[in-house]
Amino acid sequence: MKALAQFSGLAGVILLVFCIINYFIIDEFNIWILTHAVLGVVLLIFFIAYNLGAIRESLKSRRSAMGANITIQVLALIAAIVIINFIAGGFSRRWDLTEAKIHSLSDQTTKVVRSLKEDVSILAFFRSGDPEKEKLKDLLKNYQRYSGRISFEFIDPERDPQLSDKYGVKQDKVLVIRSGEQETLTVQIDESGITNSLIKVSQKNPKIIYFTEGHGEHDLDSGEADGYLYIRKMLEFENYKVEKILLSTAQRVPDGCSVLVVSGPRKSFFDYEIRLIDDFLNEGGRVFILLDPTMQTGLEKLASDWGLSVGEDVIVDRQEIPFFGSRLGLDPIIKDFARHPITHDFKEMIMLPQARSVSFIPSFGDYSVTLDEIATTSSSAFAAADVASIFERGVLNTSSKDKTGPLSVVATASKKIEAEEKASFPGKSKGEAAERIEPEEAQSKDEMRLVVMGDSDFVINTHYDKYNNCDFFINVVNWLSGTEDLISVRTGTLRASRLDLTDRDYRTIFKLSVLLFPELLLIAGVLVWWWRRNL
């Protein structure tokens, strides 16, 4: 009975302490608090009533000193916990457990932020009390976690109209992003908008991408199904300047051209045009050629001169469909990528609607040219040589000329270009070569780069958002333009992993995790202490 009375005193204190904590956190007097209060008071009264005489004596004895020591130790323990929490707050580490990683920045954003060479200040024009303000603040703090060069400040346009006028801000929910003399304004208050603005202010001169025209290429301005309007917008969103060029009327590929793109021509190129492209490559130019099956454009010979072979075939992929058996598909899904700057950190897949094989020539004799195959089909795919039967009569005829998978569909060629080689072309002296190249472009002109892909439809308006087609296309352009640091997987759709809970569920989880479990643990600890003490 005596031992039970001693234990009841400690248990009563614990119940009352958790009663007080519960009341201040939940801010209401409920049955939970009432139960704790009643039990705690009853246990304490029982303890005091049973030990009243001993309590009087203990206040005069050595045990009082021991009680004081215990009190000091408890306070020291509380202080240690507070200090540990303070240190943990200063060196925190985060884990994003959501399925779509909506609380984490994309790979592209982290690369852009980490590559900043100058300080960037962000002025966020938001009204006071705007509910989106805190959300944006959390996002900007996330940016700051990757670079100390980013600072931000919130400005209420109604309270500070002069500053709004200074930056041309006519509404709220606007970001003004500045770096050095560069400045841009965006109303897209999300990761994509902020990252794009960072790219704009960190790059002094946007790189120019030229698309050839006049041979039935995909139209950059067309919103039709086979147009390239959306991929053009994506390039502009990445701060590229997109232009068209008719090579047959040009003297040469413009010196400011960062990348020349040939997107699915339906007609043959003139020899003169092919020579311009070849001269451009020999001068350290960058070219992206996308060729569809059944098309003979004259560029196949250009590719072979640089060690790349474009197959006269079409990829057929055997797919197993539940309940329907195998199916022969002409839209292979590519998910095997070799180690290459274009596919660095690219762990997704792309879909190619009607593709042909592109590989490097093993016997190519120019060892100064580096050749790579960077994307291959599955082993179940094969390259059908009888293309006419498939597209004209809808019949698949296999033959010994067919190539078995896995098959390469994207290949690259690159070569270091010396200054003497640049000056060896007609009409250009060594001095002229140096003058025509802007200092910013000089580094990228030291190496020719050619990418040949066996499909151009994978980024038309109806396919550019399938799987990661758009990302792959942009990554190729980034590598060709010399901005490998921007190669990554871009921001995906924000989709949180949800667990729907009612208010009652929240309260139950809170009581179990914050109150009941620690409380039981503490009482169990006291019980063990008390039991060992009385052994």
Side-chain angles (χ1 to χ4, degrees), residues 229-281:
L229 178 62
Y230 294 149
I231 197 65
R232 171 181 184 163
K233 289 184 176 179
M234 288 303 299
L235 287 170
E236 292 173 342
F237 193 73
E238 298 277 333
N239 203 32
Y240 287 108
K241 186 177 181 181
V242 180
E243 301 282 355
K244 297 179 182 178
I245 183 171
L246 183 60
L247 288 175
S248 60
T249 61
Q251 296 295 319
R252 54 181 285 109
V253 176
D255 292 322
C257 175
S258 295
V259 180
L260 179 68
V261 180
V262 183
S263 57
R266 305 291 170 182
K267 298 178 181 177
S268 297
F269 277 62
F270 296 117
D271 292 341
Y272 170 73
E273 296 173 305
I274 295 175
R275 184 169 61 80
L276 290 185
I277 298 174
D278 194 48
D279 289 348
F280 181 59
L281 287 169

Side-chain angles (χ1 to χ4, degrees), residues 88-214:
F91 300 93
S92 62
R93 185 173 179 79
R94 302 175 54 183
W95 287 271
D96 188 350
L97 302 180
T98 58
E99 180 181 355
K101 303 298 179 186
I102 62 171
H103 302 299
S104 302
L105 300 179
S106 67
D107 293 342
Q108 186 204 23
T109 295
T110 56
K111 287 187 176 183
V112 169
V113 174
R114 284 171 171 159
S115 65
L116 291 175
K117 296 180 175 59
E118 296 183 9
D119 292 342
V120 175
S121 63
I122 301 175
L123 303 179
F125 288 84
F126 273 68
R127 287 192 178 95
S128 300
D130 192 314
E132 295 184 24
K133 184 177 175 181
E134 291 302 318
K135 182 180 177 182
L136 175 62
K137 183 183 293 184
D138 291 339
L139 178 61
L140 294 176
K141 286 182 178 178
N142 214 355
Y143 275 77
Q144 287 183 320
R145 291 168 57 84
Y146 294 93
S147 175
R149 292 191 174 278
I150 294 180
S151 61
F152 66 88
E153 177 185 359
F154 279 90
I155 298 170
D156 189 333
E158 292 182 343
R159 295 183 179 180
D160 200 343
Q162 292 182 342
L163 202 57
S164 301
D165 292 340
K166 177 182 178 181
Y167 292 104
V169 176
K170 306 297 183 185
Q171 63 185 70
D172 65 335
K173 297 183 180 179
V174 173
L175 299 183
V176 175
I177 300 178
R178 302 181 302 162
S179 179
E181 298 180 355
Q182 303 292 321
E183 180 179 305
T184 188
L185 182 148
T186 181
V187 295
Q188 188 176 353
I189 314 298
D190 56 18
E191 183 184 341
S192 297
I194 296 172
T195 300
N196 183 52
S197 298
L198 290 176
I199 295 173
K200 286 181 179 179
V201 299
S202 60
Q203 293 182 356
K204 295 181 179 178
N205 298 313
K207 295 181 180 295
I208 305 176
I209 312 296
Y210 281 92
F211 281 73
T212 62
E213 61 177 351

Side-chain angles (χ1 to χ4, degrees), residues 69 92 127 133 183 188 219 315 396 448 463 490:
N69 288 334
S92 62
R127 287 192 178 95
K133 184 177 175 181
E183 180 179 305
Q188 188 176 353
D219 189 354
I315 303 293
L396 173 63
M448 64 74 58
H463 293 315
R490 283 150 188 83

Side-chain angles (χ1 to χ4, degrees), residues 18 509 511-522:
F18 275 87
I509 292 174
K511 289 175 181 175
L512 290 175
S513 61
V514 178
L515 299 177
L516 183 59
F517 288 157
E519 182 179 2
L520 292 176
L521 187 63
L522 189 56

